[in-house]
Amino acid sequence: MITRILTIDENSLKLSKKIIDGGGAVAFPTETVYGLGANAFDDNAVKNIFTVKGRPNDNPLIVHVHKDYDITNLVTEIPDYAVKLAQAYLPGPLTMVYKSKGKVSSAVSCGLDTLAVRVPEHEGAQKFLKYVRLPIAAPSANISKHVSPVTAEHVYADLNGRIEVILDGGKCSGGIESTVLDCTGEVPAILRSGLITREMISEIAGDCLVYTPKNGEQVRSPGMKYKHYSPNCETMLFEFGEFEKALIAYDKYANNNIKVCLLCDARTCGLSGSRECLNLGDNGKDIASNLYYKLREGEEKFQIIIAVAPEIDDGIMAGVMNRLTKACRNQ
Ligand code: AMP
Ligand code: MG
């Protein structure tokens, strides 16, 4: 199969609709990362996404809908706090989990009785969703466990030959995946941290829990248990206070002619002398936006990435550290 990167226009949207209606998958941009979408009502189309990505079949997908879509078609028991959160933050990088009406393919939620719904803000995503006139089940458009894609070229690098069309909407501004919020309880609970922070949710909903699975408990968001976001090279991660140790490790590799780089915030980069450094930026928003881009750059150019945790006090850092830890620690 030949894979084409297309700018988003009438022709590419028409072709995308044809592919989606025929049970295929199309990659499309969102403000977080690129998604790999298929018709959420079509069992085989949804199952195909798992095959294309090599995704474990107990890791449920998020359904993406157009901003004018009435989600009561798909879910029930929408609490007041969720209505308020939707007014405040949607369209945007917030995925909300509700009780499912069971209308979409059961493969979307991998048998769970809940459904994760997201309304992406990206203009290209909105155009695509409007054109296809369907709820679209979509995980990130990468090979499972690899770094999520934030450009059309990243998608191509992973899925060339496996899908027909990648809709090109430029570099994703957000850079890490949406916040996943369980809205089935009295108080909302973050299942995966992201760009909409706990503070932002508490401000509107009055309170917000952060879910951490207890020992032995069945994980409420199955995606949490998998290794994720990993570059195709060796990685190490040091705490901020371990900067000196990171430099010692760097020098050891460099002296052995191993292509090594640091991955850290701007200030730490500034302290690392003439060493190779992938600069993530100097604030939470930029660091999130650059994280996957720099991890992909690192795996292209180097044999080992030595990450140093940024010392930045911003709610977004919960999501960044979650991804950085999963990407760079062998767990
Ligand atoms: P990805 O699409 O690769 O960004 O992953 C989607 C994330 O949403 C994973 O962490 C899933 O576990 C989570 N998710 C999707 N559907 C549900 C659901 N019904 N309940 C809880 N978590 C979900
Ligand atoms: Mg993913």
Side-chain angles (χ1 to χ4, degrees):
M1 185 184 290
I2 291 172
T3 302
R4 285 189 295 162
I5 298 179
L6 302 175
T7 47
I8 302 174
D9 57 20
E10 185 66 23
N11 286 336
S12 61
L13 289 169
K14 206 179 214 174
L15 176 59
S16 300
K17 180 163 172 55
K18 200 172 146 214
I19 294 168
I20 294 288
D21 287 345
V26 171
F28 65 100
T30 80
E31 68 277 20
T32 59
V33 304
Y34 274 72
L36 179 63
N39 178 359
F41 294 121
D42 181 334
D43 252 333
N44 287 330
V46 174
K47 286 179 186 154
N48 175 52
I49 288 183
F50 287 82
T51 311
V52 169
K53 276 186 60 108
R55 186 176 172 99
N57 62 8
D58 65 347
N59 188 5
L61 307 181
I62 294 168
V63 167
H64 293 64
V65 296
H66 184 261
K67 62 180 164 42
D68 296 334
Y69 188 81
D70 179 3
I71 65 160
T72 62
N73 287 325
L74 305 179
V75 298
T76 178
E77 296 177 31
I78 299 173
D80 287 347
Y81 67 75
V83 175
K84 288 189 202 149
L85 285 168
Q87 276 164 1
Y89 299 124
L90 299 188
L94 176 65
T95 295
M96 294 157 93
V97 176
Y98 302 105
K99 282 267 172 266
S100 176
K101 279 189 169 170
K103 296 278 166 66
V104 298
S105 157
S106 61
V108 172
S109 292
C110 305
L112 297 173
D113 62 358
T114 52
L115 186 68
V117 186
R118 165 154 146 70
V119 187
E121 190 181 14
H122 193 289
E123 197 192 342
Q126 282 293 321
K127 280 186 183 162
F128 170 64
L129 291 165
K130 186 165 187 177
Y131 209 98
V132 297
R133 299 179 144 272
L134 282 168
I136 292 291
S140 49
N142 52 289
I143 294 288
S144 192
K145 301 184 178 57
H146 191 207
V147 184
S148 301
V150 293
T151 65
E153 289 73 25
H154 290 165
V155 180
Y156 187 87
D158 276 24
L159 301 182
N160 179 23
R162 296 175 187 233
I163 56 173
E164 261 180 79
V165 167
I166 301 166
L167 293 174
D168 190 351
K171 182 173 178 267
C172 306
S173 57
I176 59 170
E177 295 83 353
S178 60
T179 305
V180 178
L181 189 70
D182 184 347
C183 296
T184 62
E186 269 177 37
V187 176
I190 292 178
L191 301 178
R192 176 178 74 186
S193 33
L195 298 168
I196 303 290
T197 63
R198 181 184 195 176
E199 295 73 23
M200 290 166 76
I201 293 165
S202 284
E203 201 181 301
I204 304 294
D207 199 359
C208 177
L209 306 172
V210 177
Y211 169 72
T212 39
K214 298 184 188 65
N215 261 351
E217 185 192 354
Q218 198 189 359
V219 183
R220 250 202 272 169
S221 182
M224 292 171 72
K225 70 184 181 212
Y226 290 108
K227 184 173 160 66
H228 256 96
Y229 322 120
S230 303
N232 295 324
C233 67
E234 292 292 316
T235 51
M236 293 174 91
L237 174 61
F238 288 92
E239 302 301 327
F240 179 75
E242 298 177 322
F243 175 55
E244 294 296 328
K245 276 196 204 164
L247 293 189
I248 291 168
Y250 178 104
D251 291 343
K252 200 179 88 191
Y253 286 112
N255 290 337
N256 282 300
N257 290 323
I258 292 169
K259 283 195 248 167
V260 55
C261 69
L262 295 165
L263 175 78
C264 47
D265 65 28
R267 204 168 71 89
T268 310
C269 257
L271 296 172
S272 60
S274 60
R275 296 172 181 89
E276 293 280 358
C277 195
L278 296 166
N279 183 350
L280 290 169
D282 64 2
N283 63 80
K285 210 165 165 249
D286 284 355
I287 291 174
S289 172
N290 290 328
L291 183 66
Y292 292 147
Y293 193 86
K294 294 290 178 185
L295 282 169
R296 289 225 176 207
E297 188 182 331
E299 71 177 6
E300 288 277 310
K301 297 185 184 162
F302 301 98
Q303 292 164 282
I304 177 157
I305 298 173
I306 300 181
V308 182
E311 194 199 34
I312 284 169
D313 185 20
D314 181 322
I316 290 179
M317 291 308 290
V320 169
M321 284 313 298
N322 165 276
R323 309 308 193 280
L324 190 58
T325 308
K326 288 192 172 172
C328 293
R329 282 224 170 108
N330 294 323
Q331 53 174 17

